Amino acid sequence: RAERRHDGETFVAASAAMGGVLLSRGQPDEVEPLFRPLTASQGASLSLRNRLNRDAILAIAMSLAGDQRRAWPMMLATRDELIAEWPGARRTPGLLHRTVNLLVHAAYAALLQGRMAEADDLSRDALDRASETGDGAATAYALGSRAMVLTDLGRSGEGRGLAERALTISRTQGLGPWLILASMSIGLIAVDQGAIDEGLVPHRAALEAWHREQGVFHCGEFCAQMAERLLRAGRPAEAAAYVHDGERLLRGLTEQVYAAELLRLRARLHELEGDAAAAEQRYGEAIGLADRQGAGRLALRAAAGRSRLWLAQGQPARVLGLLAPQLEASLLPHAHPEWLDARTVLERAHAVI
């Protein structure tokens, strides 16, 4: 109706709302076409609130579709504008939640690229701004997200405390989605800390509740995160179940932000099963997809996995050709465990040539 009436403001507001629905259905690639009927003159005359709302959801959709190269600069530019408008935005629920939402997704995008310091700063900023407003939903969401970033940064003790705070707020205020996410975070952190069975039960229950109540949004990511931890803990059968679920839930979707990681995890499972050919193929697919998506950290993980396989097969020259460029291009800090692990593999290849 807004399009027929040439009402650009209402059209953008309705398109942004529909964009949120599409994201929850795992179809981020369908968000950008929603805004195409907007004419140049309508776009130029949009209110600041509508323009920032549009730009934020477009940037988030690009990231979830796996296009970090386009998403990242747009996220940062929109973040800067939203923060400039913060004194007014903090009193406007829609813009407040969009600001926190963008900061959280920008932190996740930073992690995928290996921008660990930026991820830390963005997730802290999301929590600080949400807490400043006293908005329960925004605060619970930012707490849960900050907990996961801290865990990824190797600070799971701090992360657990924040996840438990998110759980308390969500229970008190009846915030169903954030209660589920907090429970999932606590499960992941418990596994990180060695309490595997204690963590698996709440995580599996929370994953099923999220899928039932919120749809497929982020389910591939949730499955990949737990599968990675289970593989590190020496529980390949349970890891395989999570990888299978992640692959099944992503099938037919355009939410591909964690597709490369699921390919890498599947490759590792093939390797453990003794199927080196299938493992090599999946590692290659994971590297190619992560490189195309601009997810350099995921590409380096997969390249390190493929390189270890090649070393075991006595092919160190192939390791040098693959891993040296990945390490050089990596944005990870050189003290990060994943960067150091990849460098160790490369040094082993140099040593046997």
Side-chain angles (χ1 to χ4, degrees):
R1 290 180 181 179
E3 185 180 356
R4 287 196 300 271
R5 294 199 306 266
H6 305 289
D7 179 353
E9 296 289 347
T10 305
F11 174 78
V12 167
S15 296
M18 185 60 192
V21 173
L22 290 171
L23 292 184
S24 72
R25 293 177 178 172
Q27 302 295 346
D29 70 324
E30 295 182 17
V31 174
E32 193 170 1
L34 289 173
F35 297 94
R36 286 181 185 153
L38 193 71
T39 66
S41 61
Q42 287 172 330
S45 63
L46 281 176
S47 67
L48 182 64
R49 176 180 175 178
N50 261 336
R51 181 172 61 77
L52 291 177
N53 197 23
R54 175 199 63 187
D55 291 351
I57 200 163
L58 280 173
I60 291 168
M62 289 174 192
S63 179
L64 289 173
D67 192 350
Q68 307 309 327
R69 288 190 177 87
R70 289 180 66 209
W72 181 246
M74 191 171 188
M75 282 177 158
L76 295 187
T78 308
R79 183 270 317 261
D80 291 344
E81 288 196 84
L82 283 165
I83 288 173
E85 296 299 317
W86 181 247
R90 67 188 298 276
R91 295 188 294 272
T92 308
L95 214 49
L96 154 67
H97 285 268
R98 185 63 73 206
T99 302
V100 173
N101 189 227
L102 178 72
L103 288 168
V104 164
H105 279 277
Y108 293 157
L111 289 176
L112 294 170
Q113 297 170 79
R115 301 177 186 272
M116 311 309 278
E118 289 97 325
D120 192 7
D121 291 342
L122 287 159
S123 68
R124 185 191 304 111
D125 194 19
L127 179 54
D128 288 346
R129 291 180 188 280
S131 301
E132 174 190 330
T133 67
D135 184 283
T139 302
Y141 173 48
L143 278 166
S145 301
R146 175 73 173 151
M148 290 313 303
V149 171
L150 287 174
T151 302
D152 204 332
L153 295 172
R155 294 153 62 185
S156 59
E158 292 176 66
R160 179 151 194 156
L162 295 184
E164 287 170 350
R165 282 176 57 197
L167 194 69
T168 299
I169 293 171
S170 301
R171 279 179 177 155
T172 303
Q173 300 190 20
L175 304 170
W178 312 138
L179 177 65
I180 295 170
L181 283 180
S183 299
M184 205 157 354
S185 298
I186 289 170
L188 282 169
I189 292 167
V191 172
D192 262 344
Q193 296 177 332
I196 298 170
D197 294 319
E198 177 189 325
L200 274 174
V201 173
H203 187 274
R204 174 57 73 178
L207 177 62
E208 290 172 359
W210 180 268
H211 186 218
R212 183 174 60 250
E213 299 174 22
Q214 303 298 319
V216 294
F217 188 40
H218 284 315
C219 283
E221 172 186 348
F222 300 148
C223 290
Q225 288 171 339
M226 180 55 88
E228 165 64 17
R229 286 160 171 80
L230 289 168
L231 279 171
R232 287 202 308 260
R235 306 276 285 261
E238 288 141 314
Y242 270 98
V243 172
H244 173 76
D245 286 346
E247 292 167 338
R248 174 176 55 83
L249 292 167
L250 280 186
R251 199 168 293 129
L253 304 182
T254 60
E255 183 188 309
Q256 294 293 303
V257 66
Y258 261 75
E261 183 71 343
L262 285 168
L263 282 167
R264 179 186 73 84
L265 293 166
R266 175 57 69 191
R268 179 60 182 147
L269 289 167
H270 283 315
E271 197 175 350
L272 292 172
E273 293 161 358
D275 191 342
E280 182 173 350
Q281 180 180 341
R282 291 291 175 269
Y283 277 133
E285 291 169 1
I287 296 164
L289 180 57
D291 277 338
R292 290 193 299 276
Q293 293 181 344
R297 185 182 177 195
L298 301 188
L300 182 64
R301 283 181 180 177
R306 195 181 204 187
S307 294
R308 276 189 290 269
L309 179 64
W310 281 342
L311 269 181
Q313 296 171 337
Q315 303 182 70
R318 298 183 75 185
V319 173
L320 302 185
L322 172 65
L323 204 48
Q326 287 286 348
L327 273 167
E328 186 176 348
S330 176
L331 298 174
L332 280 170
H334 290 185
H336 192 277
E338 292 172 19
W339 193 92
L340 291 172
D341 173 63
R343 188 184 69 177
T344 299
V345 176
L346 186 63
E347 288 171 348
R348 285 173 54 203
H350 274 295
V352 297
I353 283 185

